[in-house]
Amino acid sequence: MSDLSDLPADASGASGGAAGRAARSARNDPDNPESEAERRRRRAQFLRDLAEARELRARVQPRRAKAARLRHAMRMRTFRW
C-alpha cells in the first residue's frame, strides 16, 4: 500500500490550511490558468489513485471483481470495430 506522504497537503480531508487554500484559489483563478505540466501531474496522480483503488477492491471483493472482469471481456469480444 502506498505511503501517505505521497498525498498533497490538502488531501487529508480537513480544511487544509493556508497553502492548500492558496493552491486551490490559484487553480480557480481565470487570469492565471494552470500549466499543462501541472494538469498532467494531477491527472497522473488521479489515475494512480484510481488504479490503486481498483486493486484494493479486487482484493477485498474477489467474486465481484471476477464478475466485472468477465463482463468486460464479454463487452470487448462483442464490440465491433
Side-chain angles (χ1 to χ4, degrees):
M1 198 139 123
S2 71
D3 191 14
L4 291 179
S5 64
D6 295 346
L7 295 175
D10 61 345
S12 64
S15 62
R21 283 191 295 274
R24 281 192 297 273
S25 66
R27 268 187 259 147
N28 295 334
D29 187 12
D31 296 333
N32 186 13
E34 67 180 347
S35 69
E36 188 69 20
E38 181 183 342
R39 188 189 71 80
R40 275 190 257 116
R41 192 170 29 255
R42 285 191 312 111
R43 182 176 187 273
Q45 180 63 46
F46 170 76
L47 292 176
R48 280 193 299 271
D49 292 345
L50 184 62
E52 183 180 347
R54 284 184 178 148
E55 289 172 9
L56 177 63
R57 188 184 311 142
R59 283 196 311 270
V60 173
Q61 300 174 336
R63 185 181 299 165
R64 187 174 293 178
K66 180 180 179 183
R69 276 196 311 273
L70 292 173
R71 280 194 305 272
H72 180 70
M74 183 62 73
R75 274 198 311 271
M76 291 289 100
R77 271 182 292 198
T78 58
F79 184 76
R80 300 239 184 236
W81 295 98

